[in-house]
Amino acid sequence: MSFAEQLTRLQAFLDADELHEEALDYVAAHGYLTALSICSEQVPDREWIDALFAEEPHYASEAQRTEIEATLVALKAHIARQLASEEEFDLPCELDLTDEPDDSDLRGWCIGFMEGVFLREEAWFDNSEDEVSEMLLPIMVGSGLFDEQPEFADIASDANLQDDMIVQIPEALSALFLLQHAPDEKPAVLKPRRH
């Protein structure tokens, strides 16, 4: 089975209604695996797989379990290779929160990413908290998880500013990856774009 076919089967499994309501769907899982691939601390496969599903899924068979878990591990490795390459990172969704941000795939991806960050929060912020916070800002804005906080409320209420932040996500990912894996090559901290 090709990797593309494996991903199709993984997507069907993760997007099915049978999973626990807190389990991540395919797009959120992609964000989650992206965060795990960037994190300087390796999280054991068993731990992040269990956290992704929130509770044990009802697999049709042991073979299905093996296939789903192996595809998740392969997808994580694929994402890590993509991040390490010089090419711009491809998200599995549009860089757009749409008119209904809470229903947008991008919001789901950003929430999944933040779930991955929360799994090893100390490792993320250990060395350069200010830089990491600044680089995470576009993803934090996209997630909507922080909209209640005063500094985020202003951004959330300004669609243009929000869009300016969102389009920086691929750059932010590359910068975060460099910061976590090649700290001597300090990436330029993202600056807001002026129109």
Side-chain angles (χ1 to χ4, degrees):
M1 192 182 339
S2 73
F3 185 52
E5 288 169 321
Q6 286 176 291
L7 286 185
T8 302
R9 287 169 68 151
L10 176 65
Q11 186 164 0
F13 185 82
L14 293 179
D15 290 348
D17 292 336
E18 288 81 71
L19 293 182
H20 186 273
E21 62 181 26
E22 287 177 22
L24 301 178
D25 66 14
Y26 179 77
V27 171
H30 189 286
Y32 176 74
L33 295 176
T34 303
L36 294 177
S37 300
I38 290 173
C39 185
S40 59
E41 186 182 320
Q42 280 288 344
V43 180
D45 290 349
R46 184 75 270 144
E47 182 186 340
W48 66 254
I49 289 171
D50 288 348
L52 184 152
F53 286 116
E55 71 173 28
E56 177 80 12
H58 301 292
Y59 293 105
S61 63
E62 198 52 41
Q64 186 189 35
R65 170 206 290 274
T66 304
E67 179 195 320
I68 293 296
E69 293 187 355
T71 305
L72 281 166
V73 171
L75 177 57
K76 181 173 174 273
H78 173 76
I79 289 169
R81 283 193 301 276
Q82 217 183 346
L83 286 163
S85 78
E86 296 296 307
E87 294 156 33
E88 183 163 302
F89 190 75
D90 243 358
L91 272 73
C93 56
E94 296 296 319
L95 281 175
D96 183 7
L97 286 173
T98 69
D99 295 336
E100 296 290 337
D102 289 341
D103 297 331
S104 71
D105 282 346
L106 181 61
R107 171 134 303 166
W109 187 93
C110 291
I111 289 172
F113 189 97
M114 292 312 300
E115 292 283 340
V117 171
F118 298 147
L119 211 53
R120 284 293 184 277
E121 209 162 343
E122 277 180 21
W124 277 84
F125 296 104
D126 234 7
N127 298 326
S128 38
E129 186 172 344
D130 291 345
E131 274 178 286
V132 170
S133 298
E134 192 165 336
M135 291 174 193
L136 277 175
L137 193 59
I139 299 164
M140 292 168 80
V141 167
S143 75
L145 295 172
F146 307 91
D147 287 356
E148 301 301 310
Q149 296 179 14
E151 62 270 35
F152 285 92
D154 295 345
I155 301 172
S157 64
D158 182 337
N160 289 336
L161 184 55
Q162 209 168 21
D163 290 346
D164 280 353
M165 304 291 293
I166 297 302
V167 295
Q168 293 183 48
I169 289 176
E171 282 174 61
L173 295 173
S174 302
L176 283 162
F177 186 81
L178 269 177
L179 187 68
Q180 298 282 351
H181 295 274
D184 300 337
E185 297 175 36
K186 284 275 187 252
V189 175
L190 298 172
K191 299 281 178 262
R193 295 203 173 121
R194 295 276 170 251
H195 289 298

